[in-house]
Amino acid sequence: MSDQARDLHKALPVDSKSAGRVQTLKDSVWAVSQPVLVLGSMFLVATMITEKWLDHKLFTAIMIVLPIPLIIFAERIWTKRSDWLLEPKEMAEDAFWLGFAGLLWIPLYSDYYKTPISEGFKAVRDLAPLQISLEPESLVGLIGAALLVMTCSSFIYYWLHRVQHESIFWWRIHATHHHITKMGCMRGDRTHPLEYLALALGAPITLALLGASDSVMAVAGAFGMWNGALNHSNLPLKSLPVYDWYFATAQQHHVHHAQALRQSNSNYGCSIILWDRLFGTYCGDTEVGQIGAGKAVPLSIKEQLALAFYPKDKLTDL
């Protein structure tokens, strides 16, 4: 520290110094919160499976259902932006999208009920031509296998997601997810049904081809459920250095949802940000302005579902 800076620091009021230390502490807490919750959930699920101390189906179901209610509660206490707080009508719309997503994804991680997608996943895994089987039984093996399949599947996710932003044809089915004007943990599943076929199913198919066991799926699923909800949440989460070189954080994903194209056409990784850094689409901005696409005007559920079928002029004029 230079003599001038040292003199200036000494001249600061005691209250200002205390406030600075408090703010630094708050920033540190919000920087470690997401890694602790996300990686902690993976560790808990892996421990539960290896130690057999709790029925894994029940625990997996809890890990799927638990994040949203807890984060909704937290958003009301530690709000990042008051203009992002959802009205009851908006929460009802998000509940619709959550319910729709639940019919698709929960059967992949739980046997409580089955759907054509969950059955199709198991069929692909059983017939996978690669003849690979990721079925570790140790704690380290489960977490390592989950990270491996997440990294591989996110590579495909990255390119599919990027194409959707760079091609007006593929943007049609992705626009629904970006036509939100507020961030909130319930909004991560606001996805057009056709997009699941083009983007979201890429990860399960990759997992199936790699022969990921149900246990590996459960560990990877715990990460996905918590990270997806936190990345869209209205919480003042900060990016933790080193961690945010590999894993995607809420701060990075908020940038992706910005109305400004420079920001929204970046940070395509929702779970793994590594590919953005390697392929030049990473944006390290810490603040965003308006959230949304086009004119950033809220759309009804009917309009969101119709986006995929709008002519180009109408789609780009929203």
Side-chain angles (χ1 to χ4, degrees), residues 180-213:
I180 58 175
T181 57
K182 302 176 181 179
M183 297 302 293
C185 66
M186 299 178 70
R187 321 218 105 176
D189 288 312
R190 188 174 289 238
T191 303
H192 196 282
L194 292 177
E195 183 174 9
Y196 282 119
L197 299 178
L199 175 63
L201 286 182
I205 290 175
T206 303
L207 294 171
L209 292 175
L210 290 175
S213 66

PDB file of all heavy atoms in Angstrom, residues 180-213:
ATOM      1  N   ILE A 180     -38.774 -13.596 -20.232  1.00  0.00           N
ATOM      2  CA  ILE A 180     -39.122 -13.306 -18.842  1.00  0.00           C
ATOM      3  C   ILE A 180     -38.484 -11.962 -18.514  1.00  0.00           C
ATOM      4  O   ILE A 180     -37.415 -11.634 -19.025  1.00  0.00           O
ATOM      5  CB  ILE A 180     -38.620 -14.398 -17.876  1.00  0.00           C
ATOM      6  CG1 ILE A 180     -37.099 -14.569 -17.990  1.00  0.00           C
ATOM      7  CG2 ILE A 180     -39.321 -15.723 -18.119  1.00  0.00           C
ATOM      8  CD1 ILE A 180     -36.507 -15.533 -16.988  1.00  0.00           C
ATOM      9  N   THR A 181     -39.132 -11.189 -17.698  1.00  0.00           N
ATOM     10  CA  THR A 181     -38.626  -9.853 -17.374  1.00  0.00           C
ATOM     11  C   THR A 181     -38.142  -9.761 -15.934  1.00  0.00           C
ATOM     12  O   THR A 181     -37.730  -8.693 -15.486  1.00  0.00           O
ATOM     13  CB  THR A 181     -39.717  -8.800 -17.618  1.00  0.00           C
ATOM     14  OG1 THR A 181     -40.876  -9.120 -16.836  1.00  0.00           O
ATOM     15  CG2 THR A 181     -40.104  -8.760 -19.092  1.00  0.00           C
ATOM     16  N   LYS A 182     -38.186 -10.883 -15.230  1.00  0.00           N
ATOM     17  CA  LYS A 182     -37.692 -10.945 -13.857  1.00  0.00           C
ATOM     18  C   LYS A 182     -36.979 -12.273 -13.666  1.00  0.00           C
ATOM     19  O   LYS A 182     -37.317 -13.263 -14.304  1.00  0.00           O
ATOM     20  CB  LYS A 182     -38.843 -10.846 -12.838  1.00  0.00           C
ATOM     21  CG  LYS A 182     -39.704  -9.603 -12.944  1.00  0.00           C
ATOM     22  CD  LYS A 182     -40.867  -9.674 -11.952  1.00  0.00           C
ATOM     23  CE  LYS A 182     -41.769  -8.450 -12.043  1.00  0.00           C
ATOM     24  NZ  LYS A 182     -42.910  -8.540 -11.101  1.00  0.00           N
ATOM     25  N   MET A 183     -36.017 -12.277 -12.767  1.00  0.00           N
ATOM     26  CA  MET A 183     -35.352 -13.523 -12.407  1.00  0.00           C
ATOM     27  C   MET A 183     -35.986 -14.071 -11.136  1.00  0.00           C
ATOM     28  O   MET A 183     -36.347 -13.315 -10.232  1.00  0.00           O
ATOM     29  CB  MET A 183     -33.857 -13.310 -12.195  1.00  0.00           C
ATOM     30  CG  MET A 183     -33.087 -12.843 -13.427  1.00  0.00           C
ATOM     31  SD  MET A 183     -33.213 -13.958 -14.834  1.00  0.00           S
ATOM     32  CE  MET A 183     -32.314 -15.390 -14.220  1.00  0.00           C
ATOM     33  N   GLY A 184     -36.098 -15.386 -11.073  1.00  0.00           N
ATOM     34  CA  GLY A 184     -36.657 -16.040  -9.897  1.00  0.00           C
ATOM     35  C   GLY A 184     -36.386 -17.529  -9.996  1.00  0.00           C
ATOM     36  O   GLY A 184     -36.289 -18.087 -11.105  1.00  0.00           O
ATOM     37  N   CYS A 185     -36.262 -18.207  -8.880  1.00  0.00           N
ATOM     38  CA  CYS A 185     -35.863 -19.615  -8.880  1.00  0.00           C
ATOM     39  C   CYS A 185     -36.859 -20.522  -9.592  1.00  0.00           C
ATOM     40  O   CYS A 185     -36.502 -21.606 -10.040  1.00  0.00           O
ATOM     41  CB  CYS A 185     -35.637 -20.099  -7.453  1.00  0.00           C
ATOM     42  SG  CYS A 185     -37.128 -20.127  -6.431  1.00  0.00           S
ATOM     43  N   MET A 186     -38.122 -20.074  -9.703  1.00  0.00           N
ATOM     44  CA  MET A 186     -39.132 -20.894 -10.360  1.00  0.00           C
ATOM     45  C   MET A 186     -39.043 -20.804 -11.883  1.00  0.00           C
ATOM     46  O   MET A 186     -39.721 -21.541 -12.591  1.00  0.00           O
ATOM     47  CB  MET A 186     -40.525 -20.469  -9.913  1.00  0.00           C
ATOM     48  CG  MET A 186     -40.789 -20.621  -8.425  1.00  0.00           C
ATOM     49  SD  MET A 186     -42.440 -20.047  -7.955  1.00  0.00           S
ATOM     50  CE  MET A 186     -43.473 -21.301  -8.709  1.00  0.00           C
ATOM     51  N   ARG A 187     -38.217 -19.907 -12.402  1.00  0.00           N
ATOM     52  CA  ARG A 187     -38.240 -19.601 -13.830  1.00  0.00           C
ATOM     53  C   ARG A 187     -37.291 -20.457 -14.659  1.00  0.00           C
ATOM     54  O   ARG A 187     -37.287 -20.374 -15.883  1.00  0.00           O
ATOM     55  CB  ARG A 187     -37.928 -18.124 -14.048  1.00  0.00           C
ATOM     56  CG  ARG A 187     -38.563 -17.212 -13.027  1.00  0.00           C
ATOM     57  CD  ARG A 187     -39.067 -15.920 -13.625  1.00  0.00           C
ATOM     58  NE  ARG A 187     -40.521 -15.911 -13.744  1.00  0.00           N
ATOM     59  CZ  ARG A 187     -41.219 -14.844 -14.166  1.00  0.00           C
ATOM     60  NH1 ARG A 187     -40.604 -13.738 -14.506  1.00  0.00           N
ATOM     61  NH2 ARG A 187     -42.515 -14.906 -14.261  1.00  0.00           N
ATOM     62  N   GLY A 188     -36.504 -21.289 -13.998  1.00  0.00           N
ATOM     63  CA  GLY A 188     -35.556 -22.108 -14.739  1.00  0.00           C
ATOM     64  C   GLY A 188     -36.207 -23.119 -15.654  1.00  0.00           C
ATOM     65  O   GLY A 188     -35.610 -23.538 -16.654  1.00  0.00           O
ATOM     66  N   ASP A 189     -37.439 -23.529 -15.351  1.00  0.00           N
ATOM     67  CA  ASP A 189     -38.118 -24.546 -16.156  1.00  0.00           C
ATOM     68  C   ASP A 189     -39.102 -23.948 -17.150  1.00  0.00           C
ATOM     69  O   ASP A 189     -39.911 -24.668 -17.728  1.00  0.00           O
ATOM     70  CB  ASP A 189     -38.851 -25.538 -15.245  1.00  0.00           C
ATOM     71  CG  ASP A 189     -37.881 -26.441 -14.511  1.00  0.00           C
ATOM     72  OD1 ASP A 189     -36.979 -26.992 -15.161  1.00  0.00           O
ATOM     73  OD2 ASP A 189     -38.020 -26.587 -13.279  1.00  0.00           O
ATOM     74  N   ARG A 190     -39.035 -22.639 -17.354  1.00  0.00           N
ATOM     75  CA  ARG A 190     -39.907 -22.010 -18.354  1.00  0.00           C
ATOM     76  C   ARG A 190     -39.326 -22.317 -19.730  1.00  0.00           C
ATOM     77  O   ARG A 190     -38.587 -21.538 -20.321  1.00  0.00           O
ATOM     78  CB  ARG A 190     -40.000 -20.510 -18.122  1.00  0.00           C
ATOM     79  CG  ARG A 190     -41.043 -19.823 -18.990  1.00  0.00           C
ATOM     80  CD  ARG A 190     -41.179 -18.361 -18.616  1.00  0.00           C
ATOM     81  NE  ARG A 190     -41.823 -18.193 -17.334  1.00  0.00           N
ATOM     82  CZ  ARG A 190     -42.938 -17.491 -17.135  1.00  0.00           C
ATOM     83  NH1 ARG A 190     -43.523 -16.896 -18.138  1.00  0.00           N
ATOM     84  NH2 ARG A 190     -43.446 -17.383 -15.931  1.00  0.00           N
ATOM     85  N   THR A 191     -39.645 -23.470 -20.247  1.00  0.00           N
ATOM     86  CA  THR A 191     -39.049 -23.987 -21.469  1.00  0.00           C
ATOM     87  C   THR A 191     -40.130 -24.512 -22.400  1.00  0.00           C
ATOM     88  O   THR A 191     -41.003 -25.271 -21.979  1.00  0.00           O
ATOM     89  CB  THR A 191     -38.057 -25.122 -21.147  1.00  0.00           C
ATOM     90  OG1 THR A 191     -37.059 -24.618 -20.247  1.00  0.00           O
ATOM     91  CG2 THR A 191     -37.388 -25.649 -22.402  1.00  0.00           C
ATOM     92  N   HIS A 192     -40.071 -24.119 -23.661  1.00  0.00           N
ATOM     93  CA  HIS A 192     -41.058 -24.580 -24.636  1.00  0.00           C
ATOM     94  C   HIS A 192     -40.948 -26.097 -24.811  1.00  0.00           C
ATOM     95  O   HIS A 192     -39.832 -26.646 -24.825  1.00  0.00           O
ATOM     96  CB  HIS A 192     -40.824 -23.880 -25.977  1.00  0.00           C
ATOM     97  CG  HIS A 192     -41.979 -23.994 -26.921  1.00  0.00           C
ATOM     98  ND1 HIS A 192     -42.236 -25.140 -27.654  1.00  0.00           N
ATOM     99  CD2 HIS A 192     -42.969 -23.108 -27.229  1.00  0.00           C
ATOM    100  CE1 HIS A 192     -43.318 -24.948 -28.389  1.00  0.00           C
ATOM    101  NE2 HIS A 192     -43.782 -23.731 -28.149  1.00  0.00           N
ATOM    102  N   PRO A 193     -42.077 -26.799 -24.951  1.00  0.00           N
ATOM    103  CA  PRO A 193     -42.029 -28.258 -25.102  1.00  0.00           C
ATOM    104  C   PRO A 193     -41.103 -28.724 -26.227  1.00  0.00           C
ATOM    105  O   PRO A 193     -40.408 -29.735 -26.091  1.00  0.00           O
ATOM    106  CB  PRO A 193     -43.490 -28.621 -25.403  1.00  0.00           C
ATOM    107  CG  PRO A 193     -44.283 -27.544 -24.741  1.00  0.00           C
ATOM    108  CD  PRO A 193     -43.468 -26.300 -24.874  1.00  0.00           C
ATOM    109  N   LEU A 194     -41.076 -27.980 -27.337  1.00  0.00           N
ATOM    110  CA  LEU A 194     -40.217 -28.378 -28.454  1.00  0.00           C
ATOM    111  C   LEU A 194     -38.741 -28.233 -28.112  1.00  0.00           C
ATOM    112  O   LEU A 194     -37.892 -28.924 -28.685  1.00  0.00           O
ATOM    113  CB  LEU A 194     -40.547 -27.538 -29.696  1.00  0.00           C
ATOM    114  CG  LEU A 194     -41.916 -27.784 -30.332  1.00  0.00           C
ATOM    115  CD1 LEU A 194     -42.137 -26.844 -31.508  1.00  0.00           C
ATOM    116  CD2 LEU A 194     -42.063 -29.237 -30.772  1.00  0.00           C
ATOM    117  N   GLU A 195     -38.427 -27.333 -27.183  1.00  0.00           N
ATOM    118  CA  GLU A 195     -37.021 -27.146 -26.822  1.00  0.00           C
ATOM    119  C   GLU A 195     -36.472 -28.353 -26.088  1.00  0.00           C
ATOM    120  O   GLU A 195     -35.279 -28.657 -26.177  1.00  0.00           O
ATOM    121  CB  GLU A 195     -36.825 -25.889 -25.978  1.00  0.00           C
ATOM    122  CG  GLU A 195     -35.358 -25.644 -25.662  1.00  0.00           C
ATOM    123  CD  GLU A 195     -35.103 -24.328 -24.956  1.00  0.00           C
ATOM    124  OE1 GLU A 195     -36.064 -23.652 -24.554  1.00  0.00           O
ATOM    125  OE2 GLU A 195     -33.921 -23.979 -24.790  1.00  0.00           O
ATOM    126  N   TYR A 196     -37.322 -29.047 -25.356  1.00  0.00           N
ATOM    127  CA  TYR A 196     -36.842 -30.235 -24.664  1.00  0.00           C
ATOM    128  C   TYR A 196     -36.287 -31.257 -25.659  1.00  0.00           C
ATOM    129  O   TYR A 196     -35.325 -31.970 -25.379  1.00  0.00           O
ATOM    130  CB  TYR A 196     -37.971 -30.875 -23.856  1.00  0.00           C
ATOM    131  CG  TYR A 196     -38.267 -30.159 -22.569  1.00  0.00           C
ATOM    132  CD1 TYR A 196     -39.517 -29.598 -22.332  1.00  0.00           C
ATOM    133  CD2 TYR A 196     -37.297 -30.036 -21.583  1.00  0.00           C
ATOM    134  CE1 TYR A 196     -39.792 -28.938 -21.139  1.00  0.00           C
ATOM    135  CE2 TYR A 196     -37.559 -29.380 -20.396  1.00  0.00           C
ATOM    136  CZ  TYR A 196     -38.808 -28.831 -20.184  1.00  0.00           C
ATOM    137  OH  TYR A 196     -39.064 -28.183 -19.013  1.00  0.00           O
ATOM    138  N   LEU A 197     -36.894 -31.306 -26.841  1.00  0.00           N
ATOM    139  CA  LEU A 197     -36.443 -32.250 -27.846  1.00  0.00           C
ATOM    140  C   LEU A 197     -35.118 -31.827 -28.458  1.00  0.00           C
ATOM    141  O   LEU A 197     -34.295 -32.668 -28.829  1.00  0.00           O
ATOM    142  CB  LEU A 197     -37.500 -32.378 -28.953  1.00  0.00           C
ATOM    143  CG  LEU A 197     -38.874 -32.882 -28.509  1.00  0.00           C
ATOM    144  CD1 LEU A 197     -39.828 -32.898 -29.694  1.00  0.00           C
ATOM    145  CD2 LEU A 197     -38.772 -34.262 -27.886  1.00  0.00           C
ATOM    146  N   ALA A 198     -34.895 -30.509 -28.566  1.00  0.00           N
ATOM    147  CA  ALA A 198     -33.706 -30.005 -29.242  1.00  0.00           C
ATOM    148  C   ALA A 198     -32.540 -29.701 -28.312  1.00  0.00           C
ATOM    149  O   ALA A 198     -31.394 -29.744 -28.725  1.00  0.00           O
ATOM    150  CB  ALA A 198     -34.062 -28.729 -30.017  1.00  0.00           C
ATOM    151  N   LEU A 199     -32.822 -29.386 -27.059  1.00  0.00           N
ATOM    152  CA  LEU A 199     -31.756 -28.949 -26.156  1.00  0.00           C
ATOM    153  C   LEU A 199     -31.690 -29.777 -24.886  1.00  0.00           C
ATOM    154  O   LEU A 199     -30.678 -30.406 -24.593  1.00  0.00           O
ATOM    155  CB  LEU A 199     -31.976 -27.471 -25.800  1.00  0.00           C
ATOM    156  CG  LEU A 199     -31.022 -26.871 -24.756  1.00  0.00           C
ATOM    157  CD1 LEU A 199     -29.595 -26.900 -25.273  1.00  0.00           C
ATOM    158  CD2 LEU A 199     -31.426 -25.439 -24.433  1.00  0.00           C
ATOM    159  N   ALA A 200     -32.781 -29.775 -24.149  1.00  0.00           N
ATOM    160  CA  ALA A 200     -32.730 -30.345 -22.811  1.00  0.00           C
ATOM    161  C   ALA A 200     -32.539 -31.857 -22.802  1.00  0.00           C
ATOM    162  O   ALA A 200     -32.029 -32.408 -21.833  1.00  0.00           O
ATOM    163  CB  ALA A 200     -33.998 -29.972 -22.040  1.00  0.00           C
ATOM    164  N   LEU A 201     -32.944 -32.541 -23.869  1.00  0.00           N
ATOM    165  CA  LEU A 201     -32.784 -33.994 -23.880  1.00  0.00           C
ATOM    166  C   LEU A 201     -31.366 -34.419 -24.245  1.00  0.00           C
ATOM    167  O   LEU A 201     -31.014 -35.583 -24.145  1.00  0.00           O
ATOM    168  CB  LEU A 201     -33.776 -34.632 -24.861  1.00  0.00           C
ATOM    169  CG  LEU A 201     -35.237 -34.666 -24.396  1.00  0.00           C
ATOM    170  CD1 LEU A 201     -36.097 -35.360 -25.436  1.00  0.00           C
ATOM    171  CD2 LEU A 201     -35.370 -35.366 -23.057  1.00  0.00           C
ATOM    172  N   GLY A 202     -30.553 -33.456 -24.684  1.00  0.00           N
ATOM    173  CA  GLY A 202     -29.173 -33.789 -25.039  1.00  0.00           C
ATOM    174  C   GLY A 202     -28.407 -34.379 -23.879  1.00  0.00           C
ATOM    175  O   GLY A 202     -27.646 -35.339 -24.035  1.00  0.00           O
ATOM    176  N   ALA A 203     -28.598 -33.810 -22.683  1.00  0.00           N
ATOM    177  CA  ALA A 203     -27.876 -34.284 -21.508  1.00  0.00           C
ATOM    178  C   ALA A 203     -28.283 -35.706 -21.118  1.00  0.00           C
ATOM    179  O   ALA A 203     -27.417 -36.573 -20.928  1.00  0.00           O
ATOM    180  CB  ALA A 203     -28.086 -33.321 -20.337  1.00  0.00           C
ATOM    181  N   PRO A 204     -29.591 -36.001 -20.992  1.00  0.00           N
ATOM    182  CA  PRO A 204     -29.964 -37.384 -20.654  1.00  0.00           C
ATOM    183  C   PRO A 204     -29.489 -38.403 -21.679  1.00  0.00           C
ATOM    184  O   PRO A 204     -29.083 -39.511 -21.326  1.00  0.00           O
ATOM    185  CB  PRO A 204     -31.501 -37.324 -20.610  1.00  0.00           C
ATOM    186  CG  PRO A 204     -31.810 -35.912 -20.279  1.00  0.00           C
ATOM    187  CD  PRO A 204     -30.767 -35.109 -20.980  1.00  0.00           C
ATOM    188  N   ILE A 205     -29.532 -38.036 -22.970  1.00  0.00           N
ATOM    189  CA  ILE A 205     -29.072 -38.967 -23.997  1.00  0.00           C
ATOM    190  C   ILE A 205     -27.580 -39.246 -23.829  1.00  0.00           C
ATOM    191  O   ILE A 205     -27.117 -40.384 -23.951  1.00  0.00           O
ATOM    192  CB  ILE A 205     -29.364 -38.413 -25.403  1.00  0.00           C
ATOM    193  CG1 ILE A 205     -30.877 -38.445 -25.655  1.00  0.00           C
ATOM    194  CG2 ILE A 205     -28.629 -39.208 -26.470  1.00  0.00           C
ATOM    195  CD1 ILE A 205     -31.291 -37.810 -26.966  1.00  0.00           C
ATOM    196  N   THR A 206     -26.814 -38.188 -23.525  1.00  0.00           N
ATOM    197  CA  THR A 206     -25.379 -38.368 -23.289  1.00  0.00           C
ATOM    198  C   THR A 206     -25.141 -39.278 -22.095  1.00  0.00           C
ATOM    199  O   THR A 206     -24.282 -40.170 -22.127  1.00  0.00           O
ATOM    200  CB  THR A 206     -24.700 -37.012 -23.048  1.00  0.00           C
ATOM    201  OG1 THR A 206     -24.945 -36.157 -24.156  1.00  0.00           O
ATOM    202  CG2 THR A 206     -23.201 -37.170 -22.859  1.00  0.00           C
ATOM    203  N   LEU A 207     -25.902 -39.032 -21.033  1.00  0.00           N
ATOM    204  CA  LEU A 207     -25.779 -39.869 -19.844  1.00  0.00           C
ATOM    205  C   LEU A 207     -26.103 -41.323 -20.164  1.00  0.00           C
ATOM    206  O   LEU A 207     -25.463 -42.252 -19.661  1.00  0.00           O
ATOM    207  CB  LEU A 207     -26.715 -39.353 -18.739  1.00  0.00           C
ATOM    208  CG  LEU A 207     -26.379 -37.976 -18.160  1.00  0.00           C
ATOM    209  CD1 LEU A 207     -27.499 -37.501 -17.249  1.00  0.00           C
ATOM    210  CD2 LEU A 207     -25.070 -38.015 -17.396  1.00  0.00           C
ATOM    211  N   ALA A 208     -27.111 -41.521 -21.016  1.00  0.00           N
ATOM    212  CA  ALA A 208     -27.503 -42.875 -21.384  1.00  0.00           C
ATOM    213  C   ALA A 208     -26.410 -43.553 -22.198  1.00  0.00           C
ATOM    214  O   ALA A 208     -26.069 -44.714 -21.969  1.00  0.00           O
ATOM    215  CB  ALA A 208     -28.807 -42.842 -22.175  1.00  0.00           C
ATOM    216  N   LEU A 209     -25.835 -42.814 -23.164  1.00  0.00           N
ATOM    217  CA  LEU A 209     -24.782 -43.392 -23.997  1.00  0.00           C
ATOM    218  C   LEU A 209     -23.547 -43.741 -23.188  1.00  0.00           C
ATOM    219  O   LEU A 209     -22.824 -44.679 -23.520  1.00  0.00           O
ATOM    220  CB  LEU A 209     -24.418 -42.419 -25.118  1.00  0.00           C
ATOM    221  CG  LEU A 209     -25.492 -42.189 -26.189  1.00  0.00           C
ATOM    222  CD1 LEU A 209     -25.033 -41.110 -27.160  1.00  0.00           C
ATOM    223  CD2 LEU A 209     -25.801 -43.486 -26.935  1.00  0.00           C
ATOM    224  N   LEU A 210     -23.300 -42.994 -22.122  1.00  0.00           N
ATOM    225  CA  LEU A 210     -22.153 -43.280 -21.258  1.00  0.00           C
ATOM    226  C   LEU A 210     -22.463 -44.364 -20.226  1.00  0.00           C
ATOM    227  O   LEU A 210     -21.600 -44.721 -19.429  1.00  0.00           O
ATOM    228  CB  LEU A 210     -21.710 -41.998 -20.537  1.00  0.00           C
ATOM    229  CG  LEU A 210     -21.059 -40.931 -21.423  1.00  0.00           C
ATOM    230  CD1 LEU A 210     -20.788 -39.673 -20.619  1.00  0.00           C
ATOM    231  CD2 LEU A 210     -19.764 -41.458 -22.037  1.00  0.00           C
ATOM    232  N   GLY A 211     -23.679 -44.854 -20.249  1.00  0.00           N
ATOM    233  CA  GLY A 211     -24.041 -45.933 -19.346  1.00  0.00           C
ATOM    234  C   GLY A 211     -24.078 -45.533 -17.891  1.00  0.00           C
ATOM    235  O   GLY A 211     -23.761 -46.334 -17.001  1.00  0.00           O
ATOM    236  N   ALA A 212     -24.463 -44.293 -17.619  1.00  0.00           N
ATOM    237  CA  ALA A 212     -24.509 -43.804 -16.242  1.00  0.00           C
ATOM    238  C   ALA A 212     -25.546 -44.575 -15.433  1.00  0.00           C
ATOM    239  O   ALA A 212     -26.694 -44.719 -15.850  1.00  0.00           O
ATOM    240  CB  ALA A 212     -24.841 -42.311 -16.233  1.00  0.00           C
ATOM    241  N   SER A 213     -25.133 -45.059 -14.273  1.00  0.00           N
ATOM    242  CA  SER A 213     -26.045 -45.815 -13.413  1.00  0.00           C
ATOM    243  C   SER A 213     -27.064 -44.882 -12.765  1.00  0.00           C
ATOM    244  O   SER A 213     -26.932 -43.650 -12.808  1.00  0.00           O
ATOM    245  CB  SER A 213     -25.255 -46.533 -12.315  1.00  0.00           C
ATOM    246  OG  SER A 213     -24.671 -45.585 -11.432  1.00  0.00           O
TER     247      SER A 213
END
